[in-house]
Amino acid sequence: MAFQKILCATDFSAGSKHAVRVAARLAAEADAELVLAHAWHLPTLATSSDYPLPADAITVMIATEERALDAAAREARELGAARVTPVFLTGVPWIQLVELVEKDPAIGLVVIGTHGRTGLARVLLGSVAEKVVRHASCPVMATRAPGGAEPFDHVLVPLDLSASSQRACEFAAQLARPGGRGITLLHVIEVPVTFSSELTEDAMLEQIDRRASKLVEDAAARLRTTVSVPVVTRIRIGHPGAQTLAVLDDDPTFDLVVMVSHGRTGVRRVLLGSVAEKIVRHAPCPVLVEHT
């Protein structure tokens, strides 16, 4: 892989510990530097005039988290990451992490853990992970715990057939384990509707399907020239987000989703594209998103 530096955010939770394991493996495989960052942030309430925390208590808290960061760095080295740089940040975590990426263009990937997919956590991503995915200028991989940190064996790539979706294929080629199950390119056809809300006629649907199938197969043919794993294609009809999640539910062997999300300025920077947002929030496996 071409990553020079991989940034992994940790808050020492179970989710972030799993992210560290994944990031350490990726750094070892890519011979990349692993930047292990923790942002210490004290909520405003904790320092309010009504209930201020004593200065010595804050000092102890900071020292405890610095030791925890050093321990996480040692673990990452034990997992195979040869170069690990712990970075202790102070401030709102997602802002500090995004600014760190902006300041260091050598960081080619951020790995960050989320807090599961049940109950409220399935509806709302952990706020730090959500904001980093939305705002970071480089690809972000959101991981899930519990889960393995083994090489990715079966990669799903949802394609919208835009020029930028080729980037997703390139990342999949880098991340798919040689000798594994391979890569599946998925395109979901959103069927247009008439003003009367009736589906298009069968003849038009067949024409759309033929055209989409050819474009997806062309992408697969290009990808096969760069990888030594099987590359297959799938076409489904419906809403892209829902159909992608249905494919993941139908086949639990998928252990990574790689996709692009269009735009990161204006409103699109505040709200992820609806398809990417749905998949990141609900997928049972890690999801890598790159903004284009």
Side-chain angles (χ1 to χ4, degrees), residues 12-13 35 58 97 107 148 153 158 180 187 225 239 252 254 281-282:
F12 316 122
S13 64
V35 179
I58 293 176
L97 293 167
I107 295 174
D153 187 71
H187 177 66
T225 65
H239 184 275
F254 284 113
R281 286 181 174 176
H282 296 278

Side-chain angles (χ1 to χ4, degrees), residues 151-152 175-180 228-229:
F152 299 115
L175 294 169
R177 180 179 70 84
S228 58
V229 296

Side-chain angles (χ1 to χ4, degrees), residues 189-192 199-212 236-238:
I189 299 172
E190 288 191 272
V191 180
L199 294 179
T200 55
E201 296 179 357
D202 289 344
M204 181 178 293
L205 183 57
E206 290 177 5
Q207 183 177 6
I208 295 172
D209 181 76
R210 283 198 301 271
R211 176 61 176 162
R236 291 180 72 118
I237 298 172

Side-chain angles (χ1 to χ4, degrees), residues 98-272:
V98 169
E99 288 183 349
L100 183 58
V101 173
E102 297 284 355
K103 292 175 183 176
D104 190 347
I107 295 174
L109 177 68
V110 176
V111 180
I112 188 166
T114 60
H115 297 290
R117 59 189 295 265
T118 59
L120 183 62
R122 183 163 184 165
V123 178
L124 299 175
L125 276 174
S127 60
V128 175
E130 182 179 16
K131 289 183 173 66
V132 172
V133 170
R134 287 178 180 176
H135 293 268
S137 57
C138 70
V140 178
M141 180 184 293
T143 66
R144 295 286 192 274
E150 297 80 10
F152 299 115
D153 187 71
H154 199 186
V155 182
L156 179 66
V157 183
L159 296 178
D160 61 8
L161 302 180
S162 64
S164 58
S165 56
Q166 176 62 28
R167 288 282 297 162
C169 293
E170 293 169 0
F171 270 108
Q174 294 179 35
L175 294 169
R177 180 179 70 84
R181 290 176 180 265
I183 301 168
T184 296
L185 304 185
L186 169 69
H187 177 66
V188 179
I189 299 172
E190 288 191 272
V191 180
V193 295
T194 65
F195 290 110
S196 62
S197 297
E198 295 175 354
L199 294 179
T200 55
E201 296 179 357
D202 289 344
M204 181 178 293
L205 183 57
E206 290 177 5
Q207 183 177 6
I208 295 172
D209 181 76
R210 283 198 301 271
R211 176 61 176 162
S213 296
K214 181 182 185 305
L215 292 174
V216 174
E217 185 53 44
D218 288 346
R222 291 192 296 271
L223 186 56
R224 291 184 187 110
T225 65
T226 65
V227 297
S228 58
V229 296
V231 178
V232 300
T233 64
R234 296 185 66 174
I235 302 290
R236 291 180 72 118
I237 298 172
H239 184 275
Q243 292 299 317
T244 300
L245 292 172
V247 169
L248 293 173
D249 286 340
D250 290 343
D251 188 348
T253 66
F254 284 113
D255 51 11
L256 177 67
V257 178
V258 179
M259 62 187 305
V260 296
S261 179
H262 300 287
R264 51 184 300 270
T265 59
V267 174
R268 296 304 295 273
R269 185 164 185 164
V270 176
L271 298 175
L272 272 174

